[in-house]
Amino acid sequence: MSTQTNPATTPDPDDAAQKELEAILLAKPPSPLAEFWHYFRQNRGALAGLIVVGIVVFLAVFAQVVAPYDPIAQDRSAIQMPPSWEDGGSSQYLLGTDAVGRDMVSRLMYGAQLSVFIGLFVVVISVIFGVTLGLASGYFRGWVEIGIMRVMDIMLSIPSLVLALAIVTILGPNLINAMLAIAIVQLPHYVRLTRASVISERNKEYVTASQIAGAGPMRQMFINILPNCAAPLIVQGTLGISNAILDAAALGFLGLGAQPPTPEWGSMLANAREFVGSAWWIVTFPGLCILITVLAFNLMGDGLRDALDPKMKR
């Protein structure tokens, strides 16, 4: 007994392949943001860094609301009180108090506010001036490029911390001068990065077509070329925030940054040096905040680089 197949009910492989091809062609391409998030979330370290950065930014924005005490208020009855889980600690001060009875939790939260502000301020100043100088040197070339880049080479030949110390010494030891010094120190990195990107974009067809259409130098630099150089600048800016936080902490530790009683992590470390053996929490928690925050920004920067650079996409 033989069985016969009905040709009308047998799927045609050619029809199936044609339908699959049509489905692919009609499928809506993912948006740039969705594609970016797809590659960014593949990096687990970058996701962890993003979460930590989100927490730090939240504490920085809402420090006045979240912090349980005034960061400079002193409680003379609770001087050098240990954390709540140690003998002698109190639930009133979860992470203990410092040498004059100030709440460590509140000071760390306000320190996050100051650190985020320092990082953003430094990056904004460095990006504005660094991108402008890098665009000019990469687009005009010639003596403009030589003059700008030789100055940047001289700045890079000096150790960054030494240069920052010299600038703060000249301007005076305070937080604003420390931020300006760090911005100046980071300036060459943005100049060199922008210049390299502009040189690679300058001779491409869209720039030539725009020049033939009558676009002037300012339009070419800021409207046509700069948007195509944004990806590496975003990554450098993210890493620059972590470097700014670290440099500000170093200057604060040396007494040239934020001055007491300002709750800045570096100055908190400097004021706690004499209590390393007797009150470990006064030194440990500000140091951990610096370590975790800088590491989180670096991990997030690595994820941004992998997601924004087509060569790094897997």
Side-chain angles (χ1 to χ4, degrees), residues 103-168:
D103 179 45
M104 290 295 296
V105 172
S106 301
R107 290 183 63 79
L108 292 174
M109 288 183 180
Y110 277 85
Q113 185 179 61
L114 198 57
S115 296
V116 171
F117 172 72
I118 290 171
L120 293 177
F121 177 88
V122 168
V123 168
V124 168
I125 296 299
S126 299
V127 165
I128 290 175
F129 290 97
V131 167
T132 302
L133 293 175
L135 283 172
S137 62
Y139 185 81
F140 293 110
R141 308 300 297 271
W143 64 269
V144 175
E145 179 187 23
I146 294 174
I148 293 174
M149 298 312 299
R150 294 299 79 78
V151 174
M152 297 300 111
D153 290 340
I154 293 172
M155 294 175 63
L156 287 173
S157 66
I158 305 173
S160 58
L161 186 57
V162 174
L163 181 58
L165 286 172
I167 296 172
V168 173

Side-chain angles (χ1 to χ4, degrees), residues 35 40 94 264 280:
E35 184 182 6
F40 182 84
L94 293 178
E264 194 271 327
W280 61 268

Side-chain angles (χ1 to χ4, degrees), residues 33 36-59 238 292-304 307:
L33 183 60
F36 163 79
W37 177 247
H38 170 73
Y39 288 106
F40 182 84
R41 68 183 181 181
Q42 292 181 359
N43 190 329
R44 296 185 182 275
L47 277 179
L50 179 63
I51 293 172
V52 174
V53 169
I55 295 173
V56 172
V57 171
F58 174 82
L59 294 176
T238 305
I292 293 172
T293 304
V294 171
L295 179 61
F297 273 104
N298 285 337
L299 290 174
M300 191 175 71
D302 289 340
L304 287 174

Side-chain angles (χ1 to χ4, degrees), residues 72-85:
I72 62 175
Q74 302 178 8
D75 185 357
R76 293 296 181 177
S77 64
I79 293 177
Q80 291 188 25
M81 179 176 288
S84 59
W85 61 84

Side-chain angles (χ1 to χ4, degrees), residues 118 160-169 173-183 185 244-259 264 266-267 270:
I118 290 171
S160 58
L161 186 57
V162 174
L163 181 58
L165 286 172
I167 296 172
V168 173
T169 303
N174 59 59
L175 183 59
I176 299 299
N177 292 339
M179 291 190 293
L180 291 175
I182 298 170
V185 168
I245 293 173
L246 198 59
D247 291 342
L251 292 176
F253 183 80
L254 296 174
L256 297 175
Q259 301 299 308
E264 194 271 327
S267 62

